Amino acid sequence: MPAPDRTAAKEKFMAFLEEKNLRITTQRRAIVDTVFGTDQHFTAEQLLEWARERDESVSRATVYRTLPLLTESGLVHEMDFGKDYKIYDPNYADHPNHNHIICDDCDKIVEFESNKLDELENEISHKLGFSVKSQQLRINASCEEMKKLGECKNKGL
Amino acid sequence: MPAPDRTAAKEKFMAFLEEKNLRITTQRRAIVDTVFGTDQHFTAEQLLEWARERDESVSRATVYRTLPLLTESGLVHEMDFGKDYKIYDPNYADHPNHNHIICDDCDKIVEFESNKLDELENEISHKLGFSVKSQQLRINASCEEMKKLGECKNKGL
DNA sequence: AGCAAATCGAGACAGAGTCTCATTATCAAA
DNA sequence: TTTGATAATGAGACTCTGTCTCGATTTGCT
Ligand SMILES: [Mn+2]
Ligand SMILES: [Mn+2]
Ligand SMILES: [Zn+2]
Ligand SMILES: [Zn+2]
């Protein structure tokens, strides 16, 4: 996947705030700069830590208040990987509907997109009398490297 | 989907326990009878409540200790529907790989199976150097009834 | 500057799930 | 059937993620 334009995402979010008559505060700026300054998936707690490196005054409450705005804007995607915390994906607006394969042995995560999959989901949903609003496919798998090693060196790759 | 043989599932689980040198206690029996006595999806807390109707002495701890055994045995499936609790599906061994469409408006859940989907997942995974161990597709959608009503009467159906 | 409304941080709170530990139940062997 | 090693139990303390409250502050607009 090509490198996305993070500046554009940030500006879109600022416009989103303005449209809803929400204010641009220094804490929100720190959070937003953090979110759109990385390609990585992150947790709420990681976001708090990173944002605090930019502005020490950012609180947990503000992070948790800002995350729903980010997802509502469509620029960040909230995901479940079967853990007891949520994972956020800042690289979403550029790759809508992408999904993930997770290696259970080494925790490696690979992203993919598939038009065939999207079509199939629409087809199935239509047959059952639904219209798709969103979807999330998680494939838990074993990667080649792990098969070769024959042994689980967790997080060793 | 045809009505599954719940007695068989229960016996399989008892065999699973014996194989692992685990004991068959009255509390486990109450839990297992509950699990394989329903077709419905349930939460851990619901299972506790239902099992206590059979044996008042069943504790929360024992329910939470038994659930991993049930999933490990492959007879019950653990799922994420984006809530902050897990949902369990006792109707799994008979319909492996089935997935779910959830109506965001009325919380209706419909199950489906698709060979095409399974094949596509295997194909994609193989291309990326993985071999599938398990998968979970969640489609959030809007159902026909809700579209007709035009308004969200939550849980009204 | 001056004001109303949005936002803030701290920390109390909530809910799902885990862990500890003293006690009890299981089950195979004697 | 007794016995004993050990698996399993319940109560409740605890952890962790996430939410809510509230008094104090900041923002954006005139
Ligand atoms: Mn991703
Ligand atoms: Mn199901
Ligand atoms: Zn791997
Ligand atoms: Zn509906």
PDB file of all heavy atoms in Angstrom, chain B residues 105-106 145-154:
ATOM      1  N   ASP B 105     -29.478  -1.571  14.217  1.00  0.00           N
ATOM      2  CA  ASP B 105     -30.665  -0.859  14.687  1.00  0.00           C
ATOM      3  C   ASP B 105     -31.484  -1.674  15.684  1.00  0.00           C
ATOM      4  O   ASP B 105     -31.972  -1.148  16.667  1.00  0.00           O
ATOM      5  CB  ASP B 105     -31.547  -0.454  13.502  1.00  0.00           C
ATOM      6  CG  ASP B 105     -30.840   0.532  12.593  1.00  0.00           C
ATOM      7  OD1 ASP B 105     -30.065   1.363  13.117  1.00  0.00           O
ATOM      8  OD2 ASP B 105     -31.028   0.468  11.367  1.00  0.00           O
ATOM      9  N   CYS B 106     -31.634  -2.982  15.418  1.00  0.00           N
ATOM     10  CA  CYS B 106     -32.496  -3.774  16.297  1.00  0.00           C
ATOM     11  C   CYS B 106     -31.768  -4.931  16.972  1.00  0.00           C
ATOM     12  O   CYS B 106     -32.386  -5.743  17.649  1.00  0.00           O
ATOM     13  CB  CYS B 106     -33.713  -4.299  15.539  1.00  0.00           C
ATOM     14  SG  CYS B 106     -33.334  -5.564  14.319  1.00  0.00           S
ATOM     15  N   GLU B 145     -36.577  -4.692   7.740  1.00  0.00           N
ATOM     16  CA  GLU B 145     -37.610  -4.199   8.643  1.00  0.00           C
ATOM     17  C   GLU B 145     -37.266  -2.795   9.144  1.00  0.00           C
ATOM     18  O   GLU B 145     -38.121  -1.923   9.234  1.00  0.00           O
ATOM     19  CB  GLU B 145     -37.786  -5.139   9.852  1.00  0.00           C
ATOM     20  CG  GLU B 145     -38.450  -6.458   9.517  1.00  0.00           C
ATOM     21  CD  GLU B 145     -37.443  -7.488   9.018  1.00  0.00           C
ATOM     22  OE1 GLU B 145     -36.281  -7.115   8.795  1.00  0.00           O
ATOM     23  OE2 GLU B 145     -37.835  -8.656   8.842  1.00  0.00           O
ATOM     24  N   MET B 146     -36.001  -2.617   9.474  1.00  0.00           N
ATOM     25  CA  MET B 146     -35.585  -1.330  10.014  1.00  0.00           C
ATOM     26  C   MET B 146     -35.657  -0.247   8.941  1.00  0.00           C
ATOM     27  O   MET B 146     -36.009   0.885   9.219  1.00  0.00           O
ATOM     28  CB  MET B 146     -34.148  -1.437  10.550  1.00  0.00           C
ATOM     29  CG  MET B 146     -34.073  -2.196  11.846  1.00  0.00           C
ATOM     30  SD  MET B 146     -34.980  -1.363  13.180  1.00  0.00           S
ATOM     31  CE  MET B 146     -36.125  -2.636  13.665  1.00  0.00           C
ATOM     32  N   LYS B 147     -35.291  -0.644   7.729  1.00  0.00           N
ATOM     33  CA  LYS B 147     -35.346   0.335   6.645  1.00  0.00           C
ATOM     34  C   LYS B 147     -36.782   0.790   6.430  1.00  0.00           C
ATOM     35  O   LYS B 147     -37.059   1.949   6.192  1.00  0.00           O
ATOM     36  CB  LYS B 147     -34.772  -0.262   5.352  1.00  0.00           C
ATOM     37  CG  LYS B 147     -33.292   0.066   5.162  1.00  0.00           C
ATOM     38  CD  LYS B 147     -32.770  -0.501   3.860  1.00  0.00           C
ATOM     39  CE  LYS B 147     -32.540  -2.007   3.981  1.00  0.00           C
ATOM     40  NZ  LYS B 147     -32.083  -2.645   2.733  1.00  0.00           N
ATOM     41  N   LYS B 148     -37.727  -0.162   6.519  1.00  0.00           N
ATOM     42  CA  LYS B 148     -39.132   0.167   6.305  1.00  0.00           C
ATOM     43  C   LYS B 148     -39.663   1.068   7.407  1.00  0.00           C
ATOM     44  O   LYS B 148     -40.366   2.042   7.161  1.00  0.00           O
ATOM     45  CB  LYS B 148     -39.968  -1.119   6.213  1.00  0.00           C
ATOM     46  CG  LYS B 148     -39.950  -1.716   4.815  1.00  0.00           C
ATOM     47  CD  LYS B 148     -40.605  -3.088   4.795  1.00  0.00           C
ATOM     48  CE  LYS B 148     -40.219  -3.833   3.512  1.00  0.00           C
ATOM     49  NZ  LYS B 148     -40.323  -5.280   3.678  1.00  0.00           N
ATOM     50  N   LEU B 149     -39.331   0.698   8.628  1.00  0.00           N
ATOM     51  CA  LEU B 149     -39.776   1.526   9.755  1.00  0.00           C
ATOM     52  C   LEU B 149     -39.213   2.936   9.651  1.00  0.00           C
ATOM     53  O   LEU B 149     -39.841   3.897  10.069  1.00  0.00           O
ATOM     54  CB  LEU B 149     -39.325   0.902  11.084  1.00  0.00           C
ATOM     55  CG  LEU B 149     -40.216  -0.200  11.625  1.00  0.00           C
ATOM     56  CD1 LEU B 149     -39.641  -0.772  12.897  1.00  0.00           C
ATOM     57  CD2 LEU B 149     -41.621   0.347  11.882  1.00  0.00           C
ATOM     58  N   GLY B 150     -38.013   3.019   9.107  1.00  0.00           N
ATOM     59  CA  GLY B 150     -37.402   4.333   8.905  1.00  0.00           C
ATOM     60  C   GLY B 150     -36.867   4.922  10.188  1.00  0.00           C
ATOM     61  O   GLY B 150     -36.233   5.951  10.212  1.00  0.00           O
ATOM     62  N   GLU B 151     -37.145   4.200  11.264  1.00  0.00           N
ATOM     63  CA  GLU B 151     -36.790   4.746  12.568  1.00  0.00           C
ATOM     64  C   GLU B 151     -36.319   3.585  13.418  1.00  0.00           C
ATOM     65  O   GLU B 151     -36.798   2.474  13.293  1.00  0.00           O
ATOM     66  CB  GLU B 151     -38.033   5.382  13.184  1.00  0.00           C
ATOM     67  CG  GLU B 151     -37.839   5.929  14.564  1.00  0.00           C
ATOM     68  CD  GLU B 151     -39.175   6.311  15.183  1.00  0.00           C
ATOM     69  OE1 GLU B 151     -40.087   6.753  14.423  1.00  0.00           O
ATOM     70  OE2 GLU B 151     -39.321   6.157  16.388  1.00  0.00           O
ATOM     71  N   CYS B 152     -35.379   3.847  14.293  1.00  0.00           N
ATOM     72  CA  CYS B 152     -34.843   2.779  15.112  1.00  0.00           C
ATOM     73  C   CYS B 152     -35.678   2.535  16.351  1.00  0.00           C
ATOM     74  O   CYS B 152     -35.639   3.281  17.306  1.00  0.00           O
ATOM     75  CB  CYS B 152     -33.415   3.093  15.509  1.00  0.00           C
ATOM     76  SG  CYS B 152     -32.741   1.991  16.757  1.00  0.00           S
ATOM     77  N   LYS B 153     -36.489   1.464  16.306  1.00  0.00           N
ATOM     78  CA  LYS B 153     -37.178   1.030  17.521  1.00  0.00           C
ATOM     79  C   LYS B 153     -36.307  -0.053  18.132  1.00  0.00           C
ATOM     80  O   LYS B 153     -36.525  -1.231  17.867  1.00  0.00           O
ATOM     81  CB  LYS B 153     -38.552   0.456  17.192  1.00  0.00           C
ATOM     82  CG  LYS B 153     -39.353   1.320  16.256  1.00  0.00           C
ATOM     83  CD  LYS B 153     -40.699   1.630  16.835  1.00  0.00           C
ATOM     84  CE  LYS B 153     -41.422   2.640  15.948  1.00  0.00           C
ATOM     85  NZ  LYS B 153     -42.650   3.132  16.532  1.00  0.00           N
ATOM     86  N   ASN B 154     -35.337   0.337  18.889  1.00  0.00           N
ATOM     87  CA  ASN B 154     -34.322  -0.588  19.367  1.00  0.00           C
ATOM     88  C   ASN B 154     -34.922  -1.791  20.086  1.00  0.00           C
ATOM     89  O   ASN B 154     -35.712  -1.651  20.991  1.00  0.00           O
ATOM     90  CB  ASN B 154     -33.355   0.151  20.285  1.00  0.00           C
ATOM     91  CG  ASN B 154     -32.000  -0.530  20.323  1.00  0.00           C
ATOM     92  OD1 ASN B 154     -31.567  -1.100  19.309  1.00  0.00           O
ATOM     93  ND2 ASN B 154     -31.349  -0.493  21.458  1.00  0.00           N
TER      94      ASN B 154
END
